[in-house]
């Protein structure tokens, strides 16, 4: 063994420390006794002061137990799975060009709780962003011991030298390892707990064991359905004159319900038993329609504004369902029909959900003339369109501007016009248009590079005599929010694909903070489809989000005015899933005609507060606890931009919670939310 490092410079000290840590790891991995070797080493190397000092301070006095030896299936993270002795992408763990043979590779937002029961006396690691990110990503490592923060790395970027972690665990019951994103999003936040190990307590009984972060009971009350008739959903809808108009009035109350409307424009009629308004608008204009619903227990009225004009879709965010998050490639016509029927029978349509959208994998080969066909899973697309419309619901489809879709099926490249015509023939009302293989044929530079394919399809859709809501899916590239509306989009994905993990959810929430101001009626930021209920991309399982995380998910999508596309198995909704998807007070924030987006006014790794104004002069406020233990989250009127004495209502508890002045704060469960409405 050669010892070349001198203790004179900071750099050499760091290298010596690294070397020594790596050496201790190697020794332990080989099953040697670190103390005996250390004694031998000290004797032979009297001049290696740096290493010796390091050993005095750092060397384990008990046995070493690697972090990677705990059951890492308990670790939750933003993307991918945790890896033993590898980075999250499966490469050797490498931080600032130093390769580590042991450790855990993860991806922010990452949480791992380990029960110790006094089995360990300390924890050691070298932490940093993995070199595989090639310049991107930023992360913050934290170690919490029995609820107290004991290590915080600060924001770490690509090229930062690994930071040593040395945490005393004497007497500790549990330790929690967190990696938070260092900036808004979680893209490329590949984080390494390199050479990470516990030093075990002498005579320990048992070993450190990974555990689930305790999930607090969901903070909500599920009310009994009211027998009184009530009208929900969009307060304003638009359509192009002379094109098919379809709107099912969402209403609840003890059946049977009877529907009427006063002030409908000529050309529209309402079916009194289904509440379906159909026909077409006679000309451009604005109609203030009074909807009336009579039920067994009384009657109710509500205004619906109908706007006639070109490009007047999505005046509030679209609400509906999409097949991808539950079925992925396993979607077929039968499942689509069953989902539409379930939208009615589950009651979701009665709360405002109306789009039933097929995602990828419906496509068949093109005919000789270039017309797109369906594959055997979809024997009759036009029939499916008719079936969905007969329920007063709307029909969505999926394609890509590239030669193939993301799943490798034929897509619209150089067939845009023909495809728009096919969609119109099938009765399509919504198109999700996913960048995918367009990457290989894209031309131009700057914004044009990103916008061109969307503009081409916009022009194609404009030639058919149907309104088709146009949803861009290109994961936020080229700051789509800045030009999406000009390119003719009604909504655009802002991030990569969502999954049912806290890391994914909080990463997407964080990514919305700087872009809210680009939202507005007719053009919405789309943080992706919902992951509550049974989801699983072809292998359905109950959402892995905890109940409180699911409340945060729905609350924030409403605060953002995000499209609300349910992503689960509609035919198998648990009472909890149904309750969180049908809270009318929460959905009313999403459908608020002002179309504002929440602003984040408090932000640190443990808490966030968001506020947005509503059309009636009130404000919606979300208090988020992003930490892993219960915490009081507060906001002052100054932070919220409010004044005076304000009444407050807790929207998940369905309860007025008094009058407040100056500030408001509640204890919020871990990863949970308190969603409030404040008004004078
Ligand atoms: C992804 C898209 C997903 C889903 C999938 C289908 O690019 O973000 O939402 O549509 O393609 O292949």
């Amino acid at each position: 063994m050669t010892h070349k490092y001198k203790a004179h410079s900071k750099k050499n000290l760091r290298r010596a420390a690294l070397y020594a840590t790596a050496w201790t790891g190697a020794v332990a991995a080989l099953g040697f006794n670190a103390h005996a070797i250390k004694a031998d080493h000290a004797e032979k190397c009297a001049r290696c002061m740096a290493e010796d000092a390091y050993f005095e301070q750092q060397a384990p006095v008990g046995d070493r137990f690697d972090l990677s030896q705990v059951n890492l299936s308990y670790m939750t993270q933003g993307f991918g799975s945790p890896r033993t002795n590898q980075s999250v992408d499966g490469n050797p763990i490498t931080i600032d060009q130093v390769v580590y043979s042991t450790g855990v590779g993860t991806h922010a937002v990452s949480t791992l709780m380990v029960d110790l029961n006094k089995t360990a006396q300390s924890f050691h690691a070298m932490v940093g962003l993995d070199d595989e990110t090639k310049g991107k990503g930023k992360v913050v490592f934290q170690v919490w011991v029995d609820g107290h923060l004991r290590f915080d790395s600060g924001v770490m970027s690509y090229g930062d030298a690994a930071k040593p972690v040395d945490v005393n665990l004497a007497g500790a019951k549990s330790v929690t390892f967190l990696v938070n994103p260092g900036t808004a999003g979680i893209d490329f936040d590949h984080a390494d707990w390199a050479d990470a190990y516990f030093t075990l307590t002498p005579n320990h009984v048992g070993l450190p064991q990974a555990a689930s972060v305790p999930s607090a009971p969901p903070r909500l009350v599920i009310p009994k359905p009211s027998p009184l008739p009530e009208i929900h959903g969009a307060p304003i809808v638009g359509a192009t004159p002379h094109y098919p108009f379809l709107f099912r009035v969402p209403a609840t109350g003890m059946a049977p319900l009877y529907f009427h409307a006063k002030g409908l424009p000529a050309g529209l009629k309402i079916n009194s038993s289904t509440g379906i308004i159909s026909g077409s608008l006679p000309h451009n204009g604005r109609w203030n329609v009074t909807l009336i619903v009579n039920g067994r227990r009384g009657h109710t009225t509500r205004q619906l504004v109908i706007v006639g004009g070109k490009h007047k879709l999505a005046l509030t965010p679209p609400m509906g369902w999409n097949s991808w998050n539950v079925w992925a490639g396993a979607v077929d016509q039968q499942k689509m029909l069953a989902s539409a029927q379930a939208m009615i029978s589950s009651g979701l349509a009665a709360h405002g959900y109306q789009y039933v959208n097929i995602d990828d994998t419906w496509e068949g080969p093109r005919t000789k003339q270039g017309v797109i066909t369906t594959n055997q899973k979809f024997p009759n697309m036009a029939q499916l369109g008719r079936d969905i419309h007969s329920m007063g619901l709307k029909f969505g489809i999926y394609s890509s501007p590239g030669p193939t879709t993301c799943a490798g099926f034929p897509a619209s490249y150089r067939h845009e016009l023909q495809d728009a015509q096919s969609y119109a023939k099938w009765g399509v009302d919504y198109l999700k248009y996913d960048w995918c293989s367009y990457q290989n044929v894209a031309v131009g530079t700057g914004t044009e590079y990103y916008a061109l394919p969307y503009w081409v399809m916009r022009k194609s859709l404009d030639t058919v005599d149907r309104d088709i809501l146009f949803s861009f899916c290109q994961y936020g590239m080229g700051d789509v929010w800045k030009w999406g509306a000009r390119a003719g989009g009604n909504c655009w994905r802002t991030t990569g694909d969502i999954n049912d993990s806290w890391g994914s959810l909080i990463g997407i929430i964080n990514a919305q903070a700087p872009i809210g101001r680009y939202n507005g009626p007719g053009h919405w930021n789309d943080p992706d489809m919902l992951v509550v209920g049974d989801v699983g991309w072809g292998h359905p399982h109950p959402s892995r989000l905890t109940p409180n995380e699911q409340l945060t998910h729905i609350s924030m999508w409403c605060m953002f005015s995000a499209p609300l596309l349910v992503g689960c198995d509609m035919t198998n909704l648990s009472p909890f899933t149904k309750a969180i998807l049908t809270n009318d007070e929460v959905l009313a924030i999403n459908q608020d005609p002002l179309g504002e987006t929440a602003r984040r006014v408090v932000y640190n790794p443990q808490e966030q507060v968001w506020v947005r104004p509503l059309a009636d002069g009130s404000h919606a406020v979300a208090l988020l606890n992003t930490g892993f233990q219960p915490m009081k989250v507060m906001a002052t009127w100054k932070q919220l931009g409010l004044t005076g004495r304000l009444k407050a209502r807790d929207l998940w508890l369905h309860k007025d919670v008094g009058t407040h002045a100056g500030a408001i704060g509640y204890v919020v469960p871990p990863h949970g939310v308190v969603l409030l409405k404040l008004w004078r």
Side-chain angles (χ1 to χ4, degrees):
M1 199 168 287
T2 51
H3 305 285
K4 297 192 191 106
Y5 305 130
K6 293 193 191 129
H8 300 314
S9 71
K10 241 185 167 180
K11 193 171 165 203
N12 275 346
L13 259 178
R14 180 164 71 76
R15 291 172 78 188
L18 278 176
Y19 174 79
T21 317
W23 179 79
T24 316
V27 165
L30 291 169
F32 296 132
N33 178 334
H35 305 298
I37 295 181
K38 189 195 134 201
D40 181 32
H41 160 78
E43 240 183 71
K44 287 187 191 146
C45 180
R47 283 169 303 160
C48 296
M49 299 301 288
E51 280 139 304
D52 287 342
Y54 183 80
F55 274 110
E56 285 318 316
Q57 231 186 3
Q58 316 286 341
V61 292
D63 294 338
R64 170 182 167 125
F65 183 76
D66 275 34
L67 182 64
S68 59
Q69 285 174 266
V70 306
N71 182 351
L72 291 179
S73 65
Y74 285 93
M75 185 177 237
T76 61
Q77 60 181 46
F79 284 109
S81 307
R83 299 226 192 205
T84 300
N85 304 336
Q86 286 182 332
S87 69
V88 70
D89 271 359
N91 297 310
I93 291 178
T94 313
I95 305 170
D96 186 26
Q97 299 176 44
V98 178
V99 179
Y100 297 83
S101 56
T102 65
V104 173
T106 183
H107 194 302
V109 176
S110 165
T111 308
L112 174 68
M113 185 166 179
V114 177
D115 277 344
L116 298 173
N117 289 323
K118 303 183 184 165
T119 51
Q121 55 189 26
S122 54
F123 172 78
H124 311 269
M126 299 297 287
V127 294
L129 196 77
D130 196 280
D131 283 8
E132 73 190 0
T133 62
K134 298 202 167 56
K136 300 174 191 156
K138 279 190 191 333
V139 287
V140 179
F141 293 81
Q142 290 186 336
V143 181
W144 292 72
V145 180
D146 290 340
H148 301 285
L149 183 62
R150 293 294 182 230
F151 172 82
D152 187 310
S153 67
V155 176
M156 295 193 69
S157 311
Y158 176 81
D160 286 351
K163 288 195 181 165
V165 184
D166 295 292
V167 174
N168 183 355
L169 298 177
K173 291 204 191 79
S174 81
V175 56
T176 303
F177 301 99
L178 294 187
V179 187
N180 284 316
T183 47
I186 61 169
D187 289 355
F188 297 98
D189 284 352
H190 299 200
D192 295 329
W193 296 93
D195 190 28
Y197 62 95
F198 299 93
T199 315
L200 297 176
T201 316
N203 307 320
H204 55 90
V205 179
L207 287 168
Q209 277 194 346
S212 306
V213 176
S215 161
R219 194 185 172 285
L220 93 164
V221 165
I222 303 181
K224 275 210 208 107
S226 164
L228 304 176
E230 270 180 66
I231 301 173
H232 314 288
I236 179 164
V237 295
T240 306
H242 313 300
Y243 288 6
F245 180 101
L246 186 67
F247 181 74
R248 184 187 171 108
V249 176
T252 51
M254 191 183 279
L257 299 177
Y258 295 102
F259 297 80
H260 305 278
K262 271 195 207 148
L264 273 184
L268 293 190
K269 59 178 189 331
I270 184 164
N271 180 310
S272 70
S273 54
T274 61
I276 298 174
I277 303 177
S278 59
S280 58
L281 293 176
H283 50 74
N284 288 354
R286 196 178 168 96
W287 292 268
N288 292 318
V289 177
T290 305
L291 301 172
I292 305 147
V293 176
N294 290 304
R296 291 260 292 273
R297 295 287 171 86
H299 86 286
T300 189
T301 65
R302 195 172 119 164
Q303 293 308 114
L304 173 69
V305 177
I306 298 182
V307 181
K310 192 103 185 114
H311 296 147
K312 296 290 180 205
L313 297 188
L315 297 179
T316 63
M319 292 174 68
W321 174 86
N322 171 293
S323 61
W324 188 252
N325 287 356
V326 56
W327 301 123
V331 67
D332 59 28
Q333 188 164 335
Q334 200 44 46
K335 287 198 178 88
M336 290 304 302
L337 188 60
S339 306
Q341 285 160 344
M343 190 173 276
I344 306 286
S345 63
S346 68
L348 256 62
H351 294 270
Y353 296 89
Q354 47 170 344
Y355 287 96
V356 183
N357 297 354
I358 320 175
D359 207 281
D360 204 350
T361 78
W362 60 265
E363 307 85 348
R366 291 191 184 275
T367 64
K368 271 202 199 111
Q369 291 72 36
V371 175
I372 189 78
T373 65
T374 57
N375 59 40
Q376 69 285 0
K377 297 190 296 164
F378 287 85
N380 193 339
M381 204 60 116
Q383 184 58 45
L384 179 60
R386 282 193 293 275
D387 289 343
I388 291 174
H389 290 155
S390 71
M391 296 176 229
L393 301 176
K394 292 182 175 169
F395 177 32
I397 211 163
Y398 168 99
S399 189
S400 163
T404 57
T405 66
C406 287
F409 289 74
S412 300
Y413 183 57
R414 299 209 163 145
H415 292 282
E416 293 83 359
L417 199 56
Q418 279 176 310
D419 285 0
Q421 285 160 355
S422 296
Y423 303 154
K425 212 170 78 200
W426 294 336
V428 165
D429 306 295
Y430 189 118
L431 172 65
K432 172 175 172 181
Y433 207 45
D434 194 349
W435 180 269
C436 307
S437 68
Y438 185 77
Q439 186 67 37
N440 307 325
V441 293
V443 291
T445 52
T447 300
E448 187 197 71
Y449 173 86
Y450 295 110
L452 188 66
Y454 290 92
W455 183 241
V456 170
M457 186 46 109
R458 171 78 267 164
K459 288 289 153 206
S460 306
L461 293 174
D462 286 348
T463 66
V464 302
D465 53 3
R466 272 197 87 71
D467 281 327
I468 299 183
L469 193 156
F470 196 18
S471 159
F472 297 3
C473 177
Q474 47 87 286
Y475 344 113
M477 292 185 303
D479 291 352
V480 59
W481 39 86
K482 292 186 180 155
W483 51 263
R486 269 184 291 133
N490 295 113
C491 50
W492 43 80
R493 280 271 298 280
T494 56
T495 50
D497 285 16
I498 195 168
N499 65 52
D500 53 333
S501 74
W502 171 248
S504 170
L505 182 65
I506 192 65
I508 292 177
I509 289 174
N510 287 338
Q512 307 310 305
I515 61 175
R517 67 199 161 94
Y518 299 101
N519 242 8
H523 50 93
W524 308 100
N525 289 330
D526 175 4
D528 207 357
M529 303 167 295
L530 302 176
V531 282
V532 302
D534 287 358
V535 292
W537 300 269
H539 307 281
H541 58 253
S543 173
R544 295 194 175 109
L545 293 178
T546 67
N548 281 307
E549 290 168 351
Q550 297 186 43
L551 290 173
T552 297
H553 184 15
I554 301 295
S555 302
M556 293 314 295
W557 265 233
C558 291
M559 290 295 279
F560 295 147
S561 292
L564 287 183
L565 292 181
V566 177
C568 66
D569 181 355
M570 290 285 289
T571 64
N572 191 23
L573 295 175
S574 71
F576 174 77
T577 304
K578 212 166 123 175
I580 62 174
L581 288 174
T582 60
N583 180 328
D584 298 308
E585 297 186 68
V586 175
L587 295 177
I589 297 178
N590 179 265
Q591 293 294 304
D592 187 77
L594 213 54
E596 283 280 343
T597 299
R599 266 182 322 118
R600 186 162 63 185
V601 295
V602 173
Y603 177 43
N604 62 54
Q606 270 67 252
E607 62 188 324
Q608 303 191 7
V609 178
W610 297 71
V611 60
R612 68 172 275 185
L614 299 168
D616 63 2
S618 66
H619 284 80
V621 173
L623 308 174
L624 297 191
N625 173 357
T626 53
F628 63 94
Q629 43 199 351
M631 189 175 65
K632 184 161 187 180
V633 181
M634 299 259 323
T636 62
W637 273 198
K638 196 169 169 221
Q639 288 167 322
L640 295 168
L642 302 174
T643 54
R645 290 176 67 74
L646 300 176
K647 291 192 189 116
R649 184 166 173 81
D650 187 317
L651 302 185
W652 287 113
L653 300 186
H654 299 277
K655 198 169 114 188
D656 290 341
V657 287
T659 304
H660 298 253
I664 196 158
Y666 285 93
V667 175
V668 186
H671 295 184
V673 65
V674 171
L675 187 63
L676 301 161
K677 190 167 169 171
L678 301 177
W679 73 101
R680 208 164 289 283

